[in-house]
């Protein structure tokens, strides 16, 4: 609607029957907005690119005025001129802030046209308004696309997290994830069984507090304590076999390794029953 208003304004300002906002595609020009077009050009909203006066404006990135195309050696054999659809032309480039020429704002008439330097500057000023409108539309389109992408990513992330929660919850290995500040931020039911404590008493524990609660469960707590507390000075990667006496006798393979987290480096500990 904004672009249509601009072509209407342009046609009235210059007293011509036809004004278009023409975008250049690979093999044709396409009228994004227009006023006064009739026949096939109006129906198809364009014409072959090699017929387009605007093609020269796009290639040169400068305004072009053709006062009488029937007397111009470059345009007198143009199908649009020979059919009588175009006799005179003036066009200004639609320049993006990056210097790309998208197309033109142009005026056409079926009679000779005289344009002064002031009128050509006025046409160029209107073209800058059109380019600004197109740039705004492009930014809005990109913002909407980015928003859609973020929403889709969010949905995908939610789905992935749901799957991970199922995997972690049903893993037979005890899992303990400590964040960069050595707090237990993720644990699963298998770890709860190893610790013989409910998850709500484990999550949020600092590493020393977690070690203190775990030590009574092992036959040789000093070895396990030394290995676990080494994590506090980490990052560290190590593993060991430990014997658990409480809540039941079993042999566990304990391992820990550093993992990259958004806020820094954490540690992932696992407990696998190898009895």
């Amino acid at each position: 609607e904004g672009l249509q208003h601009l072509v209407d304004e342009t046609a009235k300002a210059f007293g011509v029957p036809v004004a278009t906002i023409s975008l250049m595609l690979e093999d044709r020009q396409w009228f994004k907005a227009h006023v006064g077009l009739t026949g096939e050009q109006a129906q198809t909203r364009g014409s072959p690119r090699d017929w387009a006066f605007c093609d020269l404006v796009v290639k040169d990135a400068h305004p072009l005025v053709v006062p009488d195309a029937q007397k111009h050696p470059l345009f007198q054999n143009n199908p649009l001129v020979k059919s009588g659809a175009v006799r005179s032309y003036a066009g200004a480039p639609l320049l993006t802030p990056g210097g790309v020429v998208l197309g033109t704002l142009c005026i056409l008439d079926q009679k000779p046209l005289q344009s002064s330097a002031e009128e050509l500057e006025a046409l160029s000023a209107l073209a800058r308004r059109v380019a600004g409108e197109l740039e705004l539309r492009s930014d809005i389109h990109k913002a909407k696309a980015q928003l859609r992408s973020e929403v889709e990513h969010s949905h995908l992330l939610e789905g992935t997290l749901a799957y991970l929660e199922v995997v972690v919850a049903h893993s037979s290995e005890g899992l303990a994830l400590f964040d960069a500040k050595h707090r237990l931020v993720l644990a699963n039911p298998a770890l709860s069984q190893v610790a013989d404590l409910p998850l709500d008493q484990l999550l949020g524990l600092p590493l020393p507090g977690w070690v203190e609660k775990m030590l009574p469960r092992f036959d040789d707590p000093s070895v396990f304590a030394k290995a676990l507390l080494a994590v506090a000075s980490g990052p560290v990667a190590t593993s060991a076999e430990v014997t658990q006496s409480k809540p039941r006798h079993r042999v566990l393979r304990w391992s820990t390794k550093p993992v990259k987290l958004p806020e820094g480096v954490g540690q992932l500990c696992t407990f696998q029953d190898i009895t």
Side-chain angles (χ1 to χ4, degrees):
E1 183 179 350
L3 295 176
Q4 188 60 47
H5 174 74
L6 281 170
V7 291
D8 291 340
E9 182 181 334
T10 301
K12 290 177 183 178
F14 289 90
V16 295
V18 179
T20 74
I21 293 171
S22 177
L23 302 184
M24 281 296 141
L25 309 183
E26 184 176 358
D27 59 352
R28 65 192 297 263
Q29 66 174 343
W30 183 71
F31 302 127
K32 176 72 174 174
H34 66 86
V35 61
L37 288 177
T38 59
E40 185 177 352
Q41 281 191 297
Q43 292 175 0
T44 61
R45 297 189 64 152
S47 64
R49 182 162 181 163
D50 55 5
W51 293 10
F53 290 58
C54 298
D55 191 37
L56 287 178
V57 179
V58 170
K59 288 177 178 177
D60 295 340
H62 289 292
L64 171 68
V65 177
V66 182
D68 191 342
Q70 291 181 356
K71 297 179 180 180
H72 197 295
L74 191 61
F75 298 106
Q76 61 187 4
N77 293 319
N78 186 294
L80 296 175
V81 177
K82 295 181 73 173
S83 70
V86 178
R87 179 76 180 267
S88 55
Y89 169 93
L94 305 178
L95 277 165
T96 70
V100 177
V101 184
L102 299 176
T104 67
L105 172 66
C106 67
I107 56 175
L108 306 115
D109 206 337
Q110 295 175 334
K111 61 184 181 182
L113 175 71
Q114 294 295 331
S115 297
S116 65
E118 290 79 10
E119 289 174 326
L120 194 58
E121 176 54 36
L123 184 64
S124 296
L126 285 167
R128 288 192 287 272
R129 285 177 57 189
V130 172
E133 183 77 18
L134 289 172
E135 191 72 16
L136 175 62
R137 296 294 174 189
S138 176
D139 290 344
I140 292 173
H141 177 75
K142 290 176 182 177
K144 287 181 177 178
Q146 177 67 22
L147 180 60
R148 284 195 298 270
S149 175
E150 290 175 358
V151 169
E152 290 171 0
H153 178 73
S154 175
H155 289 164
L156 178 62
L157 182 60
E158 288 176 5
T160 302
L161 289 174
Y163 292 140
L164 286 174
E165 287 176 359
V166 172
V167 171
V168 169
H170 290 83
S171 173
S172 59
E173 292 187 0
L175 300 174
L177 177 64
F178 293 91
D179 66 10
K181 295 182 179 179
H182 309 300
R183 294 172 302 188
L184 184 61
V185 292
L186 184 147
N188 65 344
L191 183 73
S192 177
Q193 293 176 7
V194 171
D196 194 27
L197 289 170
L199 287 176
D200 60 2
Q201 293 186 27
L202 294 173
L203 291 172
L205 283 174
L207 182 62
W210 185 72
V211 171
E212 183 180 348
K213 287 184 178 294
M214 292 290 288
L215 289 183
R217 275 77 176 155
F218 296 95
D219 287 352
D220 190 353
S222 60
V223 174
F224 187 59
K226 184 178 180 180
L228 274 179
L229 291 175
V231 173
S233 63
V236 61
T238 186
S239 63
E241 291 184 7
V242 293
T243 303
Q244 185 178 26
S245 55
K246 297 176 182 178
R248 61 186 177 86
H249 181 82
R250 58 180 171 177
V251 180
L252 300 173
R253 176 176 291 119
W254 168 77
S255 65
T256 183
K257 64 178 181 180
V259 289
K260 181 65 177 175
L261 300 175
E263 72 279 3
V265 178
Q267 288 285 149
L268 177 63
C269 299
T270 63
F271 294 84
Q272 181 184 11
D273 190 343
I274 58 170
T275 305

